[in-house]
Amino acid sequence: MRYKNYILLVLAFIFTACSNTSTPKPMQSYEKAFEAEDRLIILALRAEQLKDNESAYKVFDILYEKSNKKEYLYRSLQNSLIAKKFKITLDKIQNHQEDLKLMRIKVITLVNLLRLEEAEQLALDLVKKSKDINDYLLVADVFVSQKKFGVAVKYLESAYIKDYNEKILDRISIILYINLNRKKEAIAQLETHSRIHSCSLVICNRLVSLYSDRNDIDGLLSAYLRLYKINSAEEIATKIVQIYSYKKEYLKLIDFLKETKINDEILLQLYVKIKNYDKASTLAFILYNDTGDIEYLGQSAIYEYESKKDVLDTNTLSKIASKFEKVVAQNSKTLYLNYYGYLLIDHEIDVKKGLKYINKALEIAPNSSFYLDSLAWGYFKLNNCKKAKSIMNRVILLDGGRDDEILSHIESIDECLKNKGK
């Protein structure tokens, strides 16, 4: 309100200063028509910025009256439209005189005033003169306003086949899908265009929208994959990952992640999920080198051990142990303490050192059946089978106590005790 009052004061001052100025002849836009022109432009633009469109159109009106520059008239009409001063807008367009911009504004104004038959006639006249894509769309909007959906589609289709413009097809698909409930036909037309003319941003985004509305997962994935090729945005890639995961198509998802390199962390998880520990180990080591995160080195050691534990040679065992040594020096996570400790025990590299790491893990998780199993196995390797059996009796009562490896250890320990008894 204060700004409007300020505008009125400024206008009063300018009118006083310019009251004797006669209406000028049409001028070039770069020529200054009167002394206060620059100040009025700043005032009008500031009103637009503040979304005070009513004040903006009034100032642009003055600019047009004082300069006779058409761009001020266009700007005034646009602002009066936004301000919903439709009757005022229409009154200011006394005669469009084949001016296409004025014809467009008049069509929009007539639609807003619900004078739809007049709007239709003028829109058809406009499109004959301009042949502009946006004017075809404007005609369609007039038909839609009259609920003449079939006519709108026919009109747009006749325009579409001239140069297969995607904006026109997009509008056709919306009318078919929403207004005429011809959903399959709408999608079919978009897919046909996509195959023949490629899937642009406009067409792919519309397919995504329609497939999503129909909950067509396969169609949605196909549209997203095509969309990603022309717009490799992170949110699109995330959608593709989510759909592949939902469909449990892990191998296809792995191929997508390998090709795009968008998320190596997810790729690592997938390698582990399908038990491809060799690739998991390699990728985890790459991530460690890239990030310096010791967690990745620990994962690399675990997956390398899992991938090669049946064919371990001395060099490989030494390399894995070296990784674990570096990890446990910086990270006291029980997973790594137990893995390293068990490796040292099971392969009899240094059983006592292995027990030290197992005990550290048990300080944090004293009731872990797997860590207690590792402890018992260490005492077994030290030939203290009685203590090993005592620990195993506890393991059996815990969750995980019937694990195949644990049962195998129990059998070995029982055999040890039997032999000692003999």
Side-chain angles (χ1 to χ4, degrees):
M1 199 68 182
R2 282 170 132 190
Y3 190 74
K4 286 185 179 180
N5 291 337
Y6 169 71
I7 286 179
L8 291 172
L9 287 170
V10 173
L11 291 179
F13 170 76
I14 291 171
F15 269 127
T16 303
C18 305
S19 58
N20 295 323
T21 307
S22 58
T23 302
K25 295 178 182 179
M27 303 184 70
Q28 297 296 324
S29 60
Y30 56 82
E31 293 181 280
K32 190 170 180 177
F34 59 99
E35 186 60 34
E37 184 176 6
D38 291 339
R39 278 179 287 165
L40 282 175
I41 291 171
I42 293 169
L43 203 62
L45 294 175
R46 180 59 177 158
E48 282 187 340
Q49 189 180 38
L50 294 171
K51 301 189 185 305
D52 181 6
N53 301 101
E54 187 173 346
S55 295
Y57 88 71
K58 289 176 181 177
V59 179
F60 278 118
D61 265 350
I62 295 167
L63 281 161
Y64 176 60
E65 289 168 12
K66 296 294 180 183
S67 68
N68 213 23
K69 294 178 182 178
K70 268 287 186 69
E71 57 265 34
Y72 293 143
L73 174 60
Y74 301 143
R75 201 68 170 256
S76 173
L77 292 168
Q78 288 165 4
N79 276 284
S80 61
L81 266 180
I82 296 169
K84 298 185 178 181
K85 302 293 183 181
F86 304 123
K87 289 183 179 179
I88 291 173
T89 306
L90 194 61
D91 289 342
K92 286 194 287 185
I93 310 174
Q94 296 296 334
N95 188 352
H96 50 72
Q97 295 178 327
E98 309 302 311
D99 185 313
L100 300 181
K101 287 184 180 179
L102 294 180
M103 289 176 76
R104 290 184 191 108
I105 293 170
K106 189 171 183 178
V107 170
I108 296 167
T109 306
L110 288 168
V111 169
N112 278 286
L113 289 169
L114 299 180
R115 291 162 60 174
L116 300 178
E117 290 184 7
E118 293 175 68
E120 177 187 326
Q121 190 54 53
L122 184 59
L124 290 169
D125 189 30
L126 168 64
V127 84
K128 284 178 188 175
K129 291 180 170 65
S130 73
K131 309 294 183 187
D132 187 279
I133 295 301
N134 292 312
D135 292 332
Y136 281 105
L137 297 173
L138 183 58
V139 172
D141 286 339
V142 174
F143 284 131
V144 169
S145 297
Q146 299 176 84
K147 300 190 184 307
K148 296 179 180 178
F149 305 119
V151 178
V153 167
K154 286 179 181 178
Y155 191 83
L156 288 172
E157 284 178 338
S158 64
Y160 169 70
I161 59 174
K162 291 179 180 179
D163 60 358
Y164 304 102
N165 185 279
E166 61 183 22
K167 285 185 179 179
I168 290 180
L169 179 60
D170 183 51
R171 191 72 182 97
I172 291 170
S173 71
I174 293 170
I175 298 170
L176 286 173
Y177 194 92
I178 296 173
N179 302 117
L180 294 172
N181 200 31
R182 287 151 59 181
K183 299 180 186 296
K184 289 183 179 178
E185 186 181 343
I187 291 172
Q189 288 204 28
L190 292 167
E191 288 288 8
T192 300
H193 180 98
S194 174
R195 285 193 298 273
I196 298 172
H197 304 286
S198 79
C199 197
S200 65
L201 283 172
V202 171
I203 299 301
C204 274
N205 274 312
R206 184 59 60 202
L207 282 168
V208 163
S209 172
L210 301 189
Y211 280 131
S212 179
D213 181 72
R214 290 175 67 80
N215 200 28
D216 184 338
I217 302 301
D218 292 329
L220 190 59
L221 176 60
S222 171
Y224 269 129
L225 285 168
R226 283 174 281 170
L227 184 58
Y228 186 75
K229 287 182 179 178
I230 51 180
N231 178 19
S232 53
E234 185 178 343
E235 59 268 24
I236 297 172
T238 300
K239 292 291 185 184
I240 293 169
V241 170
Q242 288 171 347
I243 295 171
Y244 271 134
S245 300
Y246 173 79
K247 288 165 64 65
K248 293 184 169 57
E249 293 183 349
Y250 300 122
L251 293 178
K252 288 182 180 179
L253 177 53
I254 285 171
D255 288 340
F256 176 73
L257 292 170
K258 282 168 63 179
E259 181 185 348
T260 59
K261 301 185 185 302
I262 58 164
N263 196 321
D264 283 337
E265 177 59 40
I266 293 177
L267 182 57
L268 176 61
Q269 292 170 19
L270 285 167
Y271 281 143
V272 175
K273 189 176 187 68
I274 65 172
K275 297 187 177 180
N276 191 334
Y277 295 123
D278 187 43
K279 287 187 176 178
S281 174
T282 301
L283 180 55
F285 194 69
I286 291 170
L287 288 170
Y288 167 67
N289 286 328
D290 288 345
T291 66
D293 188 342
I294 200 71
E295 286 273 358
Y296 288 124
L297 184 61
Q299 291 175 49
S300 177
I302 289 172
Y303 302 140
E304 187 173 5
Y305 178 74
E306 291 296 333
S307 69
K308 298 173 180 175
K309 63 183 177 183
D310 295 328
V311 288
L312 276 172
D313 57 52
T314 306
N315 287 336
T316 304
L317 195 57
S318 175
K319 188 172 75 168
I320 295 171
S322 178
K323 285 182 180 179
F324 274 125
E325 186 73 32
K326 190 171 183 179
V327 171
V328 296
Q330 300 179 48
N331 189 312
S332 58
K333 187 177 281 189
T334 56
L335 176 68
Y336 304 132
L337 292 170
N338 180 65
Y339 248 101
Y340 186 31
Y342 185 79
L343 179 142
L344 294 172
I345 292 167
D346 194 47
H347 296 278
E348 300 179 2
I349 298 170
D350 189 335
V351 177
K352 289 183 178 179
K353 184 178 179 180
L355 283 170
K356 182 181 75 172
Y357 287 120
I358 299 301
N359 279 312
K360 280 187 178 181
L362 284 165
E363 285 174 12
I364 302 167
N367 294 316
S368 167
S369 59
F370 297 103
Y371 301 168
L372 286 167
D373 170 64
S374 297
L375 184 69
W377 196 239
Y379 283 114
F380 169 78
K381 289 288 185 177
L382 292 173
N383 205 29
N384 190 342
C385 299
K386 188 176 180 181
K387 188 160 188 176
K389 179 63 176 176
S390 173
I391 296 167
M392 276 303 191
N393 287 337
R394 184 181 167 197
V395 169
I396 292 169
L397 301 175
L398 297 169
D399 289 340
R402 308 306 294 176
D403 176 80
D404 287 344
E405 188 171 20
I406 289 176
L407 292 173
S408 172
H409 288 169
I410 290 170
E411 189 178 328
S412 298
I413 291 167
D414 285 346
E415 187 67 28
C416 171
L417 288 169
K418 190 188 295 184
N419 290 333
K420 284 198 171 191
K422 288 178 182 179

